[in-house]
Amino acid sequence: MASKQQEVILYARVSTEEQASDEHYSIEAQLNEMKDYAKARGWVVKNEFVDGGVTGTRMDRPQLDAAIAMVEGNECDVLLVHELSRLSRSSIFETFDILENLGKHGAGFASVKEPDFDFADPSSRLFLTILAAMNQYYIDLLRMHTSKAKRERARQGLYNASFAPFGYHHIGGPKDAPVIDEENSKAVELAFENYAIGRYTYQEISEILDNEGYRTSRGRRFSKDAIAQMMRNPFYMGKVVYRSNPTSETEIFDGQHEAIVSEEL
């Protein structure tokens, strides 16, 4: 059987600044060079996608999404760009994500200006799989080191979230523990004291706080869910909780911050 000609789709991009200049990044120049590149290899150009006035640091580009949709629909053999920066100027991980997606759907990738990035034939497409594996490895490694750092912060009694729980606020740097907010901490004490009586539901306690004029950090009324979360948070008795993921075991450490309620309460 005669071998099928490779069907290629072209993707071009130009930023607003590049659009205003006369440099070789113009859309017309990119498309012409890509067409010549495809013709020289006997490829059939199936479609062209152009994002004009869009920075490469943004991954939400309509025409790039449309090109990827063709890849995912197995409607082409190769995605061709003028150079790698046209595809992405964002992080290397996002560039790898695109290449990984191509590899998953059996599509090659090529760049006019960077011949080392020619993965159009089946043997070189194997490298896309290697790139995808490298991408996953680095992401997993980064996640692992981030998890270690967060656990160490918790072990030292420091809070990992950007915003302190209601009743506290940050006044120092990342190595400083949150301090008690004198006004809001009274609402926390009131909630715990009423719940300890054993006669009030979460909803009723939220109404008590509402009647006393207390509001959440966003200026809203307390919901029963917010009260339930408050009652279950060991932070209020001077503890810091760490859990690497929703299914892992919870670890509780002594915090550097001052407790609002006693362990007895």
Side-chain angles (χ1 to χ4, degrees):
M1 293 179 62
S3 60
K4 172 181 171 291
Q5 276 187 300
Q6 297 250 59
E7 293 183 327
V8 58
I9 57 175
L10 314 181
Y11 176 73
R13 180 191 62 78
V14 66
S15 67
T16 303
E17 294 77 12
E18 291 164 345
Q19 240 176 358
S21 71
D22 295 325
E23 294 185 12
H24 68 283
Y25 283 127
S26 72
I27 294 297
E28 185 179 2
Q30 291 181 52
L31 290 175
N32 286 338
E33 289 194 43
M34 283 191 282
K35 288 174 183 176
D36 290 342
Y37 187 94
K39 184 178 179 180
R41 284 156 181 76
W43 296 346
V44 176
V45 176
K46 190 170 184 181
N47 213 331
E48 303 172 9
F49 298 93
V50 175
D51 278 311
V54 181
T55 176
T57 58
R58 279 182 50 190
M59 296 308 293
D60 56 330
R61 287 173 259 156
Q63 291 299 294
L64 177 60
D65 290 342
I68 296 300
M70 278 197 71
V71 170
E72 294 174 342
N74 299 314
E75 300 177 55
C76 69
D77 300 303
V78 182
L79 172 65
L80 176 62
V81 297
H82 185 252
E83 61 181 69
L84 192 59
S85 66
R86 301 301 93 195
L87 185 67
S88 172
R89 282 189 182 276
S90 190
S91 73
I92 187 172
F93 298 116
E94 290 183 337
T95 303
F96 275 178
D97 282 342
I98 296 174
L99 299 180
E100 180 180 9
N101 203 9
L102 295 177
K104 282 180 179 178
H105 293 87
F109 172 77
S111 166
V112 173
K113 294 299 183 182
E114 293 138 336
D116 289 340
F117 283 103
D118 190 341
F119 309 129
D121 63 85
S123 60
S124 63
R125 286 180 197 177
L126 175 64
F127 194 64
L128 284 178
T129 306
I130 298 173
L131 286 177
M134 288 171 59
N135 180 35
Q136 190 60 53
Y137 169 74
Y138 284 119
I139 289 175
D140 290 343
L141 199 63
L142 179 63
R143 187 181 294 119
M144 181 179 69
H145 286 304
T146 301
S147 179
K148 283 183 179 179
K150 287 186 174 182
R151 185 185 182 280
E152 179 58 24
R153 275 184 59 84
R155 193 187 68 78
Q156 293 177 9
L158 294 171
Y159 194 57
N160 276 306
S162 301
F163 297 96
F166 180 82
Y168 292 89
H169 60 260
H170 289 288
I171 60 171
K175 292 186 178 180
D176 297 312
V179 298
I180 291 178
D181 181 309
E182 295 299 333
E183 185 60 30
N184 287 339
S185 64
K186 295 176 184 177
V188 175
E189 290 181 273
L190 183 62
F192 272 91
E193 288 167 356
N194 278 280
Y195 187 72
I197 295 173
R199 291 191 287 113
Y200 298 106
T201 64
Y202 294 145
Q203 180 60 47
E204 289 169 334
I205 292 174
S206 72
E207 292 169 0
I208 290 172
L209 296 188
D210 180 40
N211 292 335
E212 291 293 326
Y214 291 112
R215 296 292 182 270
T216 68
S217 300
R218 296 185 177 182
R220 300 173 182 171
R221 295 182 177 182
F222 284 92
S223 66
K224 63 180 179 64
D225 292 333
I227 299 300
Q229 187 177 26
M230 184 186 294
M231 295 298 104
R232 298 182 184 124
N233 193 348
F235 193 87
Y236 292 112
M237 62 177 187
K239 304 293 182 180
V240 173
V241 173
Y242 173 76
R243 189 166 58 176
S244 58
N245 61 69
T247 60
S248 64
E249 184 179 348
T250 298
E251 297 182 87
I252 300 179
F253 302 97
D254 290 330
Q256 293 187 23
H257 61 285
E258 184 181 352
I260 292 178
V261 298
S262 66
E263 291 193 31
E264 290 77 16
L265 180 57

